[in-house]
Amino acid sequence: MTRTHASRPRRTARRPHAPSAGLAAAGLLLTGLFGAPVQAYGAATPGPAAPLGTVAGTAGDARYTPGACPRTPEPIAELDGARCGTLTVPENRTKPNSRKITLGVAIVPALAVKPQPDPVVWLAGGPGDDAVGEAKMAVDGGLNRDRDVIFMSQRGTYSADPALTCPNIDEFNARATGLASDSPETERLHVQATKACRDRLTGLGADLGAYNDTESSADLADLRTALGVPQWNLYGISYGTQLALVTMRLHPQGIRSVGIDGILPPSTAGEALTWSAAKQGFDGLFKACAQQPACNDRYPNLPATFERLVRELQAKPVTTTVTLPDTHKKVKVVLDGTALVTWLTSATHVATQVPRALDELDHGKPQRIAQQWSVGKYAPQAVGRTSHGLVYGVFCSEWTPYEAKDAAVRGGEEAFPDFPRSVQSQSPQLAYLHQDCDAWNVPAAPRSIRDVTTSDIPTLAISGGFDSQTGAANGPYVARTLSRATVVTVPYEPHVVFATSKCAQTIAVSFFDTPTAPDTRCLKGLQPPAFDTAP
């Protein structure tokens, strides 16, 4: 779950940038193991001579058509040899004469000579990330060892048509690193960028109220039927876990098993939850340092140092400049308490650098943090790839209508009672969310969208011990109503463990082999990272 504008929870869903390049501008629904028989609706079922994705099929008003692979910002080698096409669906299923939109589909074949018959569907983070663009992450983790892996661009994302991207928001996110986080002028410019995005998308004819989990889960159900797949498995990361949980509840037919990684429960998603998640991830990282003599001796009582720096910077922000690595352009960066909290939320992806970075800041050297806080947002790959139409479609119909406007303050007070109220009022990943949603102005989803998912579909609920974006406690929370869930926390790992942990990849792949008994033996040998303790 990563979000930058309104500080969006998400990238966490993306693979983090290497430390030398800075942090990425940093993604979430009853049958048994065997689902009900697929309803044909005229779908053509591939036989031995017709590999999955090579035959056209229909599902009600939806149609799958084989064709060229979806566009991606850069070539993705892992898509070479993929079987591709498009799924055409109604934009708004509640309107009889809704226009049609198309979603890109890419199917990466299994490596096995005789693959298992039930493919895995990858659900991307965000909201707003494109699953097709995450093919490398899935393939690098071995997800296609025995099964085909299906990537479908969620409605509104980069390779869908229309793509509801807004480069103006991405460009503002970069400029905002040079602004005070809680000033009235920053809020005005922030919401102005959101409104400009909305005006542009509605001007293109988009029905913004149709970009939500209800429609996206129906898209998934239609894709399964149109492809003629009797059973498949889901693997969702970050925000994709929310979509997976919604889909388990609304369209359980044909779902054999579900993996959720970096878990965002639909019933609790919102500003208060981001504070809880931040607290969990920070505490995990600080505890690991304290338990390592070299780190603890060099940086004693790190939590107190961090909280003091937040208070001091909020009272007296530090302004510095950083040099962008590609253009050598110098840009201004303002580090206040709110910025420091949001930086650390993403910095758990480079956890070994965090103690040293905080110590340098405490001794008048803000450059490491300023670089990490800003450079990723100025990178070309941070512009024009996120579907802000889907971001706000989900947040503003499913989250803000069912969470009080003071939820951020209440969550901040509970997690960090000594923080200034101005810091508590801006949750780490969702700054100005209610103001943005007032400008976005879409109808609230039915209250049932916040229902807890109750299911006996085998589920792997896996989290990282350093996850400060969704929090490891969400695994046990969702498992309370998932009778065949396996809960796993991979220690010392950040948000979306499949992206960073070989152990997590082993567990995930084994889960699809035996959904009620994944192989978790690798957890026993994991060691904490060696923190950077250079002078």
Side-chain angles (χ1 to χ4, degrees), residues 274-285:
T274 65
W275 275 115
S276 171
K279 174 70 170 170
Q280 293 173 54
F282 300 170
D283 284 353
L285 190 159

Side-chain angles (χ1 to χ4, degrees), residues 61 102 133 174 177 213 252 269 274 286 302 313 335 407 415 420 428 461 465 467 524:
D61 291 333
T102 59
T177 61
D213 287 333
T274 65
F286 294 152
L302 206 55
L313 287 173
L335 290 178
D467 186 349
K524 296 179 180 178

Side-chain angles (χ1 to χ4, degrees), residues 116 145-147 256-257 508-517:
Q116 297 297 320
R145 185 193 68 186
D146 300 311
R147 289 171 169 80
R256 173 179 175 267
S257 67
V509 173
S510 74
F511 167 74
F512 292 119
D513 291 338
T514 53
T516 57

Side-chain angles (χ1 to χ4, degrees), residues 171-205:
E171 291 161 355
F172 174 80
N173 287 336
R175 296 195 305 273
T177 61
L179 303 174
S181 298
D182 66 339
S183 75
E185 179 64 4
T186 300
E187 177 181 345
R188 185 187 70 79
L189 293 172
H190 186 110
V191 177
Q192 178 179 292
T194 300
K195 189 175 185 306
C197 170
R198 186 190 193 283
D199 291 346
R200 187 179 74 82
L201 297 182
T202 55
L204 295 174

